[in-house]
Amino acid sequence: MDEYILLKTLHILSATLIMGAGIGSAFLMFLANRRGDVAQIAFATKHVVLADWLFTTPSVVFQFLSGWRLMSIAGYSFSDGWIALAVALYLFVGICWLPVVWIQIRMRDIAKFAYNSGTDLPNSYWKLDRWWIILGSLAFPAVTVIFWLMVARP
C-alpha cells in the first residue's frame, strides 16, 4: 500500500473518530444534563472529558498533520478554494472546541463537587451548559461541511 492510500485511510478514520466521539459525548452529556440527576451528570461529564483526551485531541492533531501531508502528496495548495475553506472551518471549529474543553472540565469539577457534597448543581453549571450547547451547535455543522469538502473537492 502506498503512502497516500495509507495516510488517506488513517485520515478518514481519525475524522470519523472525531465526529463519532463528539456526537457520542455530546449525546451522553446532553441527556444527563436534561435529566438533572447529579450522579448521572457527574458520570457523564467525567467520561466526556476523558473521551476528549483519549480520542478527540489526538485525532485533531493527526487531522492537521495528515491533511497537510496528503495535500502535499496530491499536489494541492492552500490557495485551492476548497482547501482554504476547509482550513478556515477547521480553525473555526478549533476556536469553538478549545473553550468547550475548558467548559467540560469545569462542568466535570462542579458536578463532582455537587455529587460528593450531596448538593444541587449551582447556576454557574447551567450557564456553562448553555455555552457548551451554543459552541457545539456552531462546531458540528462546520465539521459536516469539512467532510463534504473533503469528499466533493469542489
Side-chain angles (χ1 to χ4, degrees):
M1 184 179 314
D2 71 7
E3 179 187 6
Y4 181 81
I5 295 298
L6 176 62
L7 200 52
K8 186 174 182 178
T9 301
L10 294 173
H11 188 78
I12 291 167
L13 289 173
S14 72
T16 304
L17 185 59
I18 290 170
M19 186 64 106
I23 288 173
S25 293
F27 185 71
L28 174 67
M29 200 155 118
F30 184 82
L31 288 181
N33 285 341
R34 300 299 66 81
R35 291 193 70 160
D37 180 270
V38 175
Q40 289 181 19
I41 292 169
F43 177 87
T45 55
K46 174 183 175 182
H47 290 92
V48 164
V49 169
L50 180 62
D52 258 359
W53 291 118
L54 291 177
F55 305 115
T56 309
T57 301
S59 293
V60 165
V61 172
F62 183 77
Q63 281 293 290
F64 179 78
L65 298 174
S66 61
W68 191 315
R69 181 68 182 136
L70 287 166
M71 191 177 76
S72 172
I73 293 169
Y76 293 113
S77 87
F78 287 110
S79 63
D80 293 322
W82 67 276
I83 297 258
L85 181 54
V87 170
L89 288 170
Y90 179 87
L91 293 173
F92 172 76
V93 170
I95 289 167
C96 292
W97 181 64
L98 288 173
V100 164
V101 171
W102 178 84
I103 287 169
Q104 289 174 169
I105 291 169
R106 188 73 189 110
M107 291 171 82
R108 177 203 61 195
D109 295 346
I110 292 169
K112 181 180 178 182
F113 179 82
Y115 176 72
N116 289 337
S117 63
T119 61
D120 291 335
L121 291 166
N123 286 336
S124 61
Y125 181 90
W126 300 109
K127 287 179 185 175
L128 291 170
D129 180 55
R130 281 191 293 279
W131 278 109
W132 179 79
I133 291 169
I134 290 166
L135 291 168
S137 296
L138 293 171
F140 272 116
V143 172
T144 303
V145 173
I146 294 171
F147 264 90
W148 178 80
L149 288 167
M150 294 298 115
V151 172
R153 293 183 253 173

